[in-house]
Amino acid sequence: MNDLSLSAVTARLRTQTFGRRIVYRSRIGSTQDLAREMAEAGAPEGTAVLANGQTAGRGRLGRSWVSPVGRSIHLSLIVRPSLVQLPRLTVIAPLAVALAVEETTSLRPRIKWPNDVFLSGRKFAGVLIDSELAGDQPLYAIVGIGVNVNLDTSAYPEIAPIATSLMMETGQEVAREAVLASLLNCLEDLYLAVGRGEDDAVYEAWRDRLDTIGQTVRVRLGDQVEEGLVEDVDAEGSLMLRRADGSRVTVPAGEVTLRDA
Ligand code: BT5
């Protein structure tokens, strides 16, 4: 079995807190659940829960995430964001994945709103953010990120037509440790930048990689369906849609699904 070398990850970290405490399991149900338990018990910001494989990996809205042992990155990072940082996690997380892949390979990922990261029109990474508030104050958030690094997605019929991996795109195995360390470095850089109020550069970098602007989309938001042309996005990741009747609506990047119209 391909184990993840934590010392190889740590050697590449240039973070203050992100990934400085790592909890590692060779196999787990979902890293999100352990991270949530640890956050509830007071684990500090930056604690990273990692698993070599998951037996019940989760996507959003009850969907599942294919997480076999030894091939991918399964990360749940505990953060304790400010009110400003919390909504920007949906921008920071996929952007950090794209930047980490750019830093460690020759690939140039694209982001599909709100949280998918794509190569050659196929998804290779996804983001799931769980957060806990007390009133309107954030207590913690768990930034869940799955990255198909050396996964042969053709072996999984449920995702074969829509998914890819860094190995499939480069034609060779990629060191998970290098991608993971770069991911933690990029996540912390972006998170701290937003905390200092420097969101403009973060927003621009995200917007540059976003494929969704200019497309006509249908968005399901609870019971409501909105359809329209994506005119722009804002710094919190909301979509600005123009409906067929010419009116405009802003759709937050929360619990939504995107369908091609
Ligand atoms: C996501 O959900 O894309 C969020 C995935 C987050 C996974 C991480 S791994 C660490 C942490 N622990 C967890 O339990 N979860 C997080 P969503 O946008 O709902 O996309 C889910 C859909 O993506 C599925 O319905 C499939 O169509 C597809 N999918 C599932 N597994 C995939 C994979 N390995 N690669 C590409 N696509 C996949």
Side-chain angles (χ1 to χ4, degrees), residues 30-31 54 58-60 63-66 123 126-127 148 162-163:
S30 163
T31 52
Q54 300 183 115
R58 281 209 305 271
R60 299 177 312 135
R63 293 187 286 245
S64 59
W65 186 254
V66 174
K123 179 164 167 173
V127 172
N148 301 336
I162 54 151

Side-chain angles (χ1 to χ4, degrees), residues 234-245:
D234 70 17
E236 293 191 357
S238 305
L239 282 187
M240 288 135 101
L241 287 189
R242 181 162 309 262
R243 300 187 184 104
D245 65 6

Side-chain angles (χ1 to χ4, degrees), residues 30-32 54 56-61 63-66 73-76 115-116 123-128 144-146 148 151 158-159 162-164:
S30 163
T31 52
Q32 290 295 102
Q54 300 183 115
R58 281 209 305 271
R60 299 177 312 135
L61 307 169
R63 293 187 286 245
S64 59
W65 186 254
V66 174
I73 291 170
H74 309 110
L75 164 69
S76 292
N115 68 339
D116 294 346
K123 179 164 167 173
F124 75 95
V127 172
L128 168 67
I145 302 180
N148 301 336
L151 189 65
E158 66 272 39
I159 57 166
I162 54 151
T164 190

Side-chain angles (χ1 to χ4, degrees), residues 50-108:
L50 290 167
N52 208 18
Q54 300 183 115
T55 52
R58 281 209 305 271
R60 299 177 312 135
L61 307 169
R63 293 187 286 245
S64 59
W65 186 254
V66 174
S67 314
V69 171
R71 314 306 300 174
S72 303
I73 291 170
H74 309 110
L75 164 69
S76 292
L77 181 74
I78 299 172
V79 289
R80 299 192 177 273
S82 67
L83 258 181
V84 173
Q85 285 165 318
L86 179 64
R88 278 144 180 95
L89 292 173
T90 45
V91 167
I92 289 172
L95 175 59
V97 173
L99 294 173
V101 169
E102 289 172 18
E103 195 174 278
T104 51
T105 71
S106 57
L107 302 169
R108 295 293 171 262

